[in-house]
Amino acid sequence: MSEVQRGGAAGLSETEARARLAADGPNELPRPERRSPLRIVVEVLREPMLLLLLCGGLIYLVLGDLKEAVILLAFGAMSIVITVVQETRTERVLEALRDLTSPRALVVRDGARRRIAGREVVQGDLLVLGEGDRVPADAALVEARDLQIDESLLTGESVPVRKKTADKVTAAAHRPGGEDQPFVYSGSLVVRGEGLALVEATGPRSEIGKIGLSLRGLQAEPPRLQQQTARLVRLCFLGGAVISLAAIVLYGVSRGDWLQALLAGVAIGMSMLPEEFGVVLTVFMAMGAWRISQARVLTRRAAAIEVLGSATVLCTDKTGTLTQNQMSVAELRLLDGARLRAEASGPDQVGREFAELARCGALASSPEPFDPMEKALHSFARGVLRDGDAMDGERTLVRTYGLRPELLAMTQVWRTAGGADLVACAKGAPEAIARLCRLNEADREAVQAAIGAMAKDGLRVLGMAIAVCDEASLPASQEAFVFRFVGLVGLADPLRPHVPEAVRECRSAGIRVIMITGDYPATAMAIAAQAGLDVDEVATGEQVKLADDRELEALVRKVNVFARVLPEQKLRIVQALKRSGEIVAMTGDGVNDAPSLKAAHIGIAMGGRGTDVAREASSIVLFDDDFSSIVASIRLGRRIYDNLRKAMAFIFAVHVPIAGLALLPLVFGLPLVLGPVHIAFLELIIDPVCSLVFEAEREERDVMKRPPRCADAELFSWPLIAWSVLQGTMAFALIAVIFVAALRSGLPPEEARTLAFIALVVCVLALVLVNRSFSASFLSAFFRPNAALLWIFLLIALVLATALFWPPASGLFRFGPLHLDDLMITLGAGVLVLTALELLKPFWGRRLRF
């Protein structure tokens, strides 16, 4: 305490405070190196998918197709803008944390109390703490009078912790949490009492500052889908380039017209350029974010949407996530063993003894409480007392006996209007109240048994006592009252209403739910059991601390409840799960959750009760703090991923006949079927079909009844590739037969080209119907509700009729006239492809869903 003795009650001088502020820096986190928008744009432009979008737009621009060029370039620009906005928002994480760590502070300087900005607090300052104050820095207590601090932002504990001074404050390591510590921490809240504290650490050296610095060192999990799609795009791009060059050489050597060879090569390159992948991914993520927002969930990072569907583990905090972070009375017990559950209580159900216990609890609390437990006692009393027993009558608070380290109880003495005597109501630790009441051994054993039973339910237990005295003989201490034991009150942070149902749905979907909390093991066990978690054993933060990485990986595989866990231990648990191959979703609302939220594959923050730090470190924010919204988000995530795979399968399948019809004339010396204008027209079909039709598809029936996909599952699995190639090959073979047969029958090349092109469009529409569902139901291809499908099909029919029957358009496409029997052949081709593929779908259906 030498520092205190030097500063004394006068605190630091202004001169010394300014010197320390200059030496140590302000009491805030250092500003991170911010990336300029230009730098972010350069980083975004390195993405292969975005490069492909821009290259595709430039190709169309060179070919003179301004419309397609503008569409693709607009998608590219939109991707840049979205990414820049998202990256800029993530830079605000430390700013939010810095705001939290810099409240106003009351300090003693030059012997006088001064209110200063929190950022001006320095080591050695003497802080004056009172109810409602936010602690501005880590400090050691010099004086404490009935001091209780809410440290839930740092520890996850749902109730305030008691503080006391120590004869000797050492420099040994100490952390938030636990009763009777002589330390207070930056960001915590004073809920009761007052005190003086000597500042030990400010800014990045404080506990909350260390959390902020750990955030800077963490990298958000890169989106797996983006990586997989980028790899697939690169392969397609390289494959298309090789085939295009081979086609140019083949055409030039065989026909001697190198200019036409170059144009044919460009057409083939366009036919194989899968620029739709980038478009589809952008649209699906944007629409997915919009759809999830309808469930009151904000998506801060679009890439997290697809990862939601693959989550295998959901790590959840207890306080404010599974529970309401709002204390309430759960149970009352009398000395004779009688008990009353709060949810089944009302004025008509509460007897005289329980009414007295409820009234005593409220009168033993502050008249205008700040402490959450005292608020709960007042609220319960108002709800169960009849008008005649109301506690709000004409009463005057005469004296308060505060909590002391040697006696964990407090007493409020009241004068009642018209009453000759004073009424003293006491509450506190049951053991302390039993001592004040001088209970005999048998009654003490009964109280201990009741405490044990209530503690198993995760309740925080308080004892209540009452005494009567006259004002002239008001004693100097609580021990001098002649108290009568009234009973025990159990308080709890209640479970959110829809949590058990949400947990059940997670389990049916193969998602393991793990609770990670800073609260005590008994409380964690009780809440976990109420929520429906598998609770075989509980691991503590101390076990996590002592375990090496391999031991921790073994521990997280079998334990579903972790209690008394510190922020860095939460982070280690998440990282151990990730090393075990799990896809980890982490929920939380406090500052202590921010590092693990950022490190998880999917960070889910509570928007209402959560802190800015937790929200900014997360990828998804729940507006209404409803745990069941997580399940709705997972359902949507799985639906989006399924529909994305359907769209990708369609894109892959449809490019097979397009590329085949572009290559067929070169290999066999036939008239060209497809030119750039035809392929551009086909792109006008493919893009909206993928972006609108497949995105709007409803989820599969078993979307929440199957296990999550494997962590290393590829977007394009081999069964899906085989299925896509089979679809495309079948369509190409049928169209090729129609084209060759038409030429052999003496049909002019223009008419044969028209017949083949119309057959191709019809087969493309058939492939849309085939890929709408992974199920084997033939009827589902037609009758699954999807309003976008009908409008797109009608639009395609209108545009195709224009190209066929409007002379300027048919001249541009080099189409010849078609007869009714020709159109029937094309429709027959589509029906044949659809029927054959639907009959084959059962052989692939189950494998395609995983």
Side-chain angles (χ1 to χ4, degrees):
M1 298 289 287
S2 60
E3 185 77 43
V4 179
Q5 292 165 357
R6 285 198 302 271
L12 295 177
S13 67
E14 281 295 337
T15 302
E16 188 174 6
R18 283 195 295 270
R20 293 192 180 189
L21 185 62
D24 297 339
N27 180 31
E28 61 184 11
L29 291 181
R31 291 188 177 273
E33 180 186 353
R34 297 185 66 86
R35 292 178 298 167
S36 66
L38 180 60
R39 178 180 169 186
I40 296 175
V41 169
V42 171
E43 291 178 1
V44 172
L45 287 174
R46 295 175 184 169
E47 291 293 331
M49 285 183 296
L50 186 58
L51 284 174
L52 190 64
L53 273 175
L54 298 178
C55 288
L58 291 175
I59 288 174
Y60 284 121
L61 193 61
V62 170
L63 292 171
D65 193 330
L66 184 61
K67 185 175 182 180
E68 280 296 305
V70 168
I71 291 174
L72 290 180
L73 292 174
F75 270 116
M78 183 174 66
S79 298
I80 294 174
V81 170
I82 290 173
T83 306
V84 170
V85 170
Q86 288 178 336
E87 292 291 335
T88 302
R89 291 180 68 186
T90 59
E91 294 289 331
R92 294 168 50 202
V93 175
L94 293 178
E95 290 182 11
L97 189 56
R98 188 162 49 249
D99 291 340
L100 187 60
T101 58
S102 189
R104 300 283 293 175
L106 183 62
V107 299
V108 178
R109 288 188 181 171
D110 291 323
R113 295 188 176 190
R114 291 191 54 210
R115 183 73 66 176
I116 63 173
R119 68 187 307 275
E120 296 175 6
V121 173
V122 297
Q123 185 179 6
D125 258 330
L126 195 59
L127 298 174
V128 180
L129 302 175
E131 278 191 17
D133 287 345
R134 182 75 65 178
V135 180
D138 290 4
L141 284 170
V142 178
E143 295 180 12
R145 290 177 293 280
D146 192 16
L147 187 63
Q148 295 186 31
I149 306 285
D150 180 354
E151 296 180 346
S152 60
L153 290 183
L154 293 165
T155 66
E157 295 180 25
S158 56
V159 295
V161 292
R162 190 173 54 250
K163 298 293 182 179
K164 69 175 184 178
T165 57
D167 294 334
K168 184 178 180 180
V169 177
T170 66
H174 53 85
R175 301 302 303 272
E179 300 281 1
D180 295 329
Q181 278 198 28
F183 302 101
V184 293
Y185 298 94
S186 177
S188 58
L189 184 67
V190 180
V191 298
R192 186 178 187 84
E194 56 186 19
L196 295 176
L198 185 72
V199 173
E200 285 191 331
T202 60
R205 293 168 293 279
S206 65
E207 290 298 319
I208 199 172
K210 292 172 184 175
I211 294 174
L213 292 178
S214 71
L215 282 176
R216 296 182 68 185
L218 288 174
Q219 294 296 324
E221 188 70 20
R224 292 167 179 256
L225 182 59
Q226 197 172 35
Q227 293 173 325
Q228 293 178 8
T229 308
R231 187 164 57 250
L232 179 63
V233 164
R234 283 195 297 268
L235 290 174
C236 292
F237 187 80
L238 291 175
V242 170
I243 293 175
S244 294
L245 290 174
I248 291 172
V249 173
L250 178 63
Y251 193 103
V253 170
S254 63
R255 304 194 183 189
D257 190 340
W258 288 97
L259 179 59
Q260 288 298 319
L262 182 61
L263 292 174
V266 168
I268 292 172
M270 289 177 62
S271 70
M272 302 192 69
L273 186 69
E275 76 276 3
E276 298 91 359
F277 285 152
V279 175
V280 165
L281 189 60
T282 300
V283 171
F284 269 56
M285 294 303 102
M287 290 295 294
W290 176 79
R291 289 188 186 281
I292 287 180
S293 72
Q294 303 305 297
R296 296 191 58 75
V297 178
L298 170 67
T299 306
R300 295 192 63 253
R301 297 182 181 91
I305 295 172
E306 56 89 11
V307 189
L308 265 175
S310 64
T312 59
V313 172
L314 175 56
C315 296
T316 175
D317 186 33
K318 178 186 75 68
T319 305
T321 306
L322 293 178
T323 66
Q324 299 176 19
N325 196 20
Q326 182 178 348
M327 297 298 291
S328 64
V329 173
E331 183 178 333
L332 285 75
R333 292 203 182 211
L334 304 178
L335 191 57
D336 60 6
R339 57 183 294 207
L340 177 72
R341 297 293 298 177
E343 66 266 16
S345 61
D348 296 331
Q349 291 80 33
V350 176
R352 182 176 58 82
E353 294 87 355
F354 286 114
E356 183 184 39
L357 179 54
R359 184 168 53 252
C360 184
L363 292 176
S365 304
S366 299
E368 296 181 1
F370 196 84
D371 185 310
M373 287 191 294
E374 293 191 342
K375 287 182 178 179
L377 292 171
H378 272 274
S379 176
F380 179 74
R382 283 194 296 269
V384 301
L385 295 179
R386 293 184 175 90
D387 293 339
D389 294 328
M391 48 167 258
D392 298 326
E394 292 295 330
R395 287 187 174 91
T396 305
L397 183 62
V398 176
R399 182 170 176 179
T400 297
Y401 296 83
L403 203 71
R404 303 198 312 271
E406 67 274 14
L407 181 64
L408 301 178
M410 65 167 292
T411 299
Q412 301 272 67
V413 181
W414 298 86
R415 180 188 298 112
T416 306
D421 294 326
L422 301 179
V423 176
C425 295
K427 70 172 172 45
E431 297 84 358
I433 296 297
R435 180 153 60 93
L436 287 176
C437 295
R438 302 174 181 85
L439 296 180
N440 59 40
E441 191 61 31
D443 287 341
R444 285 178 184 271
E445 290 180 0
V447 169
Q448 286 299 324
I451 293 170
M454 296 169 80
K456 284 184 180 178
D457 292 333
L459 302 182
R460 175 103 168 187
V461 184
L462 294 177
M464 303 292 169
I466 193 167
V468 178
C469 68
D470 60 66
E471 192 164 358
S473 61
L474 198 62
S477 68
Q478 299 178 75
E479 289 91 336
F481 283 100
V482 182
F483 279 110
R484 174 173 57 86
F485 190 85
V486 180
L488 300 173
V489 176
L491 297 107
D493 184 7
L495 200 69
R496 291 181 180 275
H498 303 297
V499 165
E501 181 183 349
V503 170
R504 281 195 298 273
E505 192 161 1
C506 283
R507 294 175 67 176
S508 72
I511 302 168
R512 180 182 164 208
V513 181
I514 297 177
M515 179 198 290
I516 307 174
T517 179
D519 220 329
Y520 291 93
T523 306
M525 283 277 286
I527 292 297
Q530 294 172 30
L533 272 64
D534 292 324
V535 188
D536 295 325
E537 61 178 301
V538 177
T540 64
E542 188 65 22
Q543 290 175 260
V544 174
K545 177 182 177 181
L546 297 176
D548 59 28
D549 287 348
R550 182 171 296 181
E551 291 170 341
L552 185 56
E553 287 177 30
L555 190 66
V556 299
R557 278 194 288 268
K558 63 179 182 178
V559 175
N560 291 329
V561 179
F562 291 85
R564 302 302 289 166
V565 175
L566 297 174
E568 64 270 19
Q569 294 162 356
K570 285 188 178 186
L571 180 59
R572 283 196 68 203
I573 292 169
V574 169
Q575 291 171 332
L577 288 166
K578 288 168 65 177
R579 286 195 301 273
S580 301
E582 305 284 3
I583 302 296
V584 183
M586 171 74 191
T587 72
D589 63 347
V591 174
N592 59 319
D593 299 321
S596 45
L597 285 172
K598 188 171 182 181
H601 295 98
I602 314 132
I604 306 172
M606 298 299 170
R609 297 183 183 272
T611 62
D612 287 342
V613 181
R615 287 193 288 268
E616 293 292 338
S618 66
S619 47
I620 289 174
V621 178
L622 305 184
F623 284 142
D624 52 9
D625 291 359
D626 192 341
F627 187 82
S628 61
S629 297
I630 299 172
V631 180
S633 300
I634 291 173
R635 176 187 293 274
L636 281 168
R638 290 190 174 193
R639 164 185 164 175
I640 290 165
Y641 187 80
D642 278 353
N643 289 344
L644 186 59
R645 292 180 77 233
K646 295 171 186 176
M648 295 294 188
F650 168 75
I651 292 170
F652 202 95
V654 82
H655 274 81
V656 172
I658 293 174
L661 290 175
L663 280 170
L664 180 68
L666 303 183
V667 175
F668 294 102
L670 301 173
L672 293 179
V673 180
L674 301 177
V677 67
H678 301 105
I679 296 171
F681 176 83
L682 291 170
E683 297 299 329
L684 287 174
I685 297 176
I686 296 171
D687 284 345
V689 162
C690 295
S691 301
L692 299 176
V693 174
F694 285 111
E695 192 282 326
E697 281 296 334
R698 304 175 73 178
E699 68 260 17
E700 297 289 319
R701 291 189 299 271
D702 64 346
V703 68
M704 290 298 283
K705 295 180 181 178
R706 61 178 190 247
R709 65 181 185 271
C710 296
D712 56 352
E714 293 290 334
L715 177 66
F716 246 3
S717 62
W718 285 110
L720 192 62
I721 291 174
W723 177 237
S724 297
V725 171
L726 176 64
Q727 294 179 66
T729 302
M730 186 176 293
F732 166 66
L734 192 57
I735 298 165
V737 167
I738 292 174
F739 180 63
V740 173
L743 291 174
R744 294 273 180 92
S745 68
L747 213 62
E750 289 78 8
E751 294 185 20
R753 178 185 300 112
T754 307
L755 190 63
F757 186 80
I758 299 301
L760 175 59
V761 172
V762 172
C763 286
V764 166
L765 300 182
L767 294 180
V768 172
L769 297 175
V770 169
N771 286 283
R772 291 188 65 201
S773 171
F774 290 137
S775 69
S777 171
F778 184 85
L779 294 178
S780 67
F782 293 98
F783 298 111
R784 282 170 63 92
N786 189 333
L789 179 70
L790 177 62
W791 287 107
I792 291 293
F793 275 23
L794 290 175
L795 182 62
I796 291 172
L798 178 62
V799 174
L800 194 59
T802 302
L804 281 175
F805 303 113
W806 189 39
S810 59
L812 177 65
F813 281 86
R814 290 180 293 166
F815 281 166
L818 275 189
H819 304 93
L820 182 59
D821 54 347
D822 297 326
L823 291 175
M824 294 304 297
I825 291 173
T826 60
L827 292 175
V831 172
L832 182 59
V833 168
L834 175 62
T835 304
L837 290 174
E838 285 291 342
L839 292 175
L840 290 172
K841 190 183 289 186
F843 295 100
W844 270 275
R846 179 171 176 78
R847 286 174 291 176
L848 293 176
R849 285 196 286 269
F850 295 95

